[in-house]
């Protein structure tokens, strides 16, 4: 998952220091990595997150957090951004509205495969659909960041393999905690 964030921000969006980035859906796993990586690159990070994940997104380094459950994201962001990374399952009209936040020449990277990324040719705003493939070199770099303490992986719970059925039941009930659940071989 950190690979998707890295690929979206740097390979596709070409994010650089000093740019403004909106990470829509920052409360999820990929979003948390995206916030950390963008902040480390020197970007100004605006993140959308719900009440349950806003504290975690702030801890990851977001400069601003917009509660998408109570605020109009477009109105809350205000000033143009260079990059929008959309990780959330939004309606096409919402994605089009996010496109309007991007300065001329900017980019929208979209991870929702059922809906293509919109483009604004008149303003030179590119829309890119992200499809992730394994990349050993990129993953090696991310492991270095994790080992060096520069990229945090939040492990919320460790579960022995024998408890996997209960874990599946929790997932089906929507009762999994924020962060990664690690399944271990033993007790």
């Amino acid at each position: 998952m950190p690979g998707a964030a890295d690929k979206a921000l740097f390979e596709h969006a070409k994010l650089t220091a000093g740019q403004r980035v909106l990470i829509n859906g920052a409360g999820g796993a990929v979003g948390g990595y995206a916030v950390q990586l963008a902040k480390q690159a020197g970007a100004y990070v605006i993140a959308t997150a719900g009440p349950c994940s806003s504290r975690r997104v702030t801890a990851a380094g977001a400069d601003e957090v917009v509660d998408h459950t109570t605020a109009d994201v477009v109105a809350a962001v205000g000033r143009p951004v260079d990059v929008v990374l959309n990780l959330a399952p939004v309606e096409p009209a919402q994605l089009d509205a996010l496109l309007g936040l991007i300065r001329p020449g900017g980019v929208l990277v979209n991870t929702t495969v059922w809906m293509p990324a919109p483009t604004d040719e008149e303003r030179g705003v590119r829309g890119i659909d992200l499809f992730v493939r394994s990349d050993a070199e990129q993953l090696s770099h991310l492991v270095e960041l994790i080992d060096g303490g520069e990229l945090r992986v939040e492990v919320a719970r460790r579960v022995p393999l024998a408890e996997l059925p209960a874990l599946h039941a929790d997932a089906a009930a929507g009762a999994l905690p924020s962060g990664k659940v690690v399944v271990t071989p033993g007790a």
Side-chain angles (χ1 to χ4, degrees):
M1 285 190 208
D6 188 72
K7 183 172 290 306
L9 292 171
F10 304 111
E11 185 176 315
H12 292 301
K14 310 286 190 225
L15 184 70
T16 60
Q19 289 188 314
R20 288 171 51 87
V21 59
L22 169 63
I23 301 171
N24 191 48
V30 175
Y33 297 126
V35 169
Q36 291 178 68
L37 292 168
K39 195 64 190 168
Q40 287 174 5
Y44 184 88
V45 180
I46 305 163
T48 68
C52 294
S53 56
S54 63
R55 186 174 297 139
R56 187 167 27 88
V57 170
T58 300
D63 295 292
E64 295 179 39
V65 179
V66 176
D67 181 347
H68 65 88
T69 66
T70 61
D72 176 273
V73 173
V74 173
V77 171
R79 293 188 14 231
V81 297
D82 300 285
V83 174
V84 168
L85 172 55
N86 181 55
L87 303 167
V90 298
E91 295 294 321
Q94 292 171 297
L95 195 57
D96 285 339
L98 294 177
L99 184 71
L101 286 172
I102 304 170
R103 69 160 179 77
V107 64
L108 183 148
V109 180
N110 182 40
T111 64
T112 55
V113 296
W114 64 88
M115 174 177 43
T119 300
D120 184 341
E121 291 179 17
E122 188 174 300
R123 296 185 314 115
V125 176
R126 297 175 299 128
I128 298 171
D129 294 304
L130 177 65
F131 299 98
V132 179
R133 61 174 163 52
S134 294
D135 181 330
E137 186 177 325
Q138 177 191 49
L139 293 174
S140 176
H141 170 70
L142 292 168
V143 167
E144 288 174 16
L145 291 175
I146 293 167
D147 287 346
E150 297 175 58
L151 183 63
R152 292 184 319 273
V153 177
E154 184 178 334
V155 177
R157 189 163 130 198
R158 287 178 171 74
V159 177
L161 185 59
E163 294 179 24
L164 195 57
L167 179 64
H168 282 282
D170 287 350
L176 289 181
S178 295
K180 296 289 177 201
V181 176
V182 177
V183 178
T184 59

